[in-house]
Amino acid sequence: MKRVEAYIRIHKLEDVKLALEDAGIRGMTVEQVKGYGRQQGQTDKYRGSTYALNLIPKLRVDVVVEDEELERVLEIILETSHTGEIGDGKIFVSDVIDAIRIRTKERGSAALR
Ligand SMILES: Nc1ncnc2c1ncn2[C@@H]1O[C@H](COP(=O)(O)OP(=O)(O)OP(=O)(O)O)[C@@H](O)[C@H]1O
Ligand SMILES: [Mg+2]
């Protein structure tokens, strides 16, 4: 299993979410975060404003998927969150060693299905 951690523009969430749902990907966590990339937030604007300490509001979207789903999920996020402008965001991928559905105690792949 892989964890896809995508930092995206706030207004892109709906597109990303709908596309992932359409692809049968069930489950995600979304959190509002503030951050900066290599421009240190200086040329990345959010609603026309420059932010204190150059921290720009973004969303972190977390999705844990099967290995076989990874490339499809990455494609979807890349496609739907892209504008071509500075500050489009970044995606990090990491290994997940287990998943457990608390209600049923199912583990691994079964906990994702
Ligand atoms: N190395 C990093 N570690 C953790 N979070 C990061 C990192 N780089 C970017 N982020 C997060 O991603 C958000 C968007 O980054 P951003 O798109 O500006 O990346 P970038 O590398 O500067 O690319 P671009 O040149 O397209 O702006 C940041 O606001 C921050 O929350
Ligand atoms: Mg940047």
Side-chain angles (χ1 to χ4, degrees):
M1 287 173 287
K2 305 285 185 200
R3 177 184 180 201
V4 177
E5 184 186 343
Y7 293 82
I8 64 167
R9 295 182 191 278
I10 289 172
H11 74 274
K12 286 294 189 181
L13 176 63
E14 212 48 35
D15 287 351
V16 171
K17 187 170 162 287
L18 286 175
L20 287 173
E21 278 169 14
D22 281 352
I25 306 298
R26 306 245 163 69
M28 65 160 59
T29 301
V30 180
E31 187 177 19
Q32 275 217 50
V33 295
K34 290 179 183 177
Y36 60 82
R38 61 181 175 177
Q39 295 83 11
Q40 303 193 306
Q42 279 159 12
T43 53
D44 181 5
K45 290 203 176 64
Y46 172 68
R47 294 188 174 164
S49 306
T50 314
Y51 275 76
L53 302 171
N54 298 325
L55 292 168
I56 308 287
K58 299 280 175 186
L59 293 180
R60 175 170 56 225
V61 177
D62 270 316
V63 190
V64 175
V65 297
E66 298 284 2
D67 290 3
E68 313 82 65
E69 294 171 326
L70 177 64
E71 287 306 319
R72 198 154 48 96
V73 166
L74 292 178
E75 267 172 40
I76 288 170
I77 296 174
L78 286 169
E79 191 88 349
T80 50
S81 58
H82 180 266
T83 71
E85 300 293 318
I86 278 169
D88 266 357
K90 209 166 263 184
I91 303 174
F92 300 99
V93 179
S94 51
D95 283 318
V96 171
I97 60 174
D98 207 354
I100 308 169
R101 177 174 284 116
I102 292 174
R103 177 174 59 87
T104 56
K105 299 186 174 66
E106 292 162 287
R107 295 185 77 130
S109 299
L112 294 186
R113 267 182 248 117

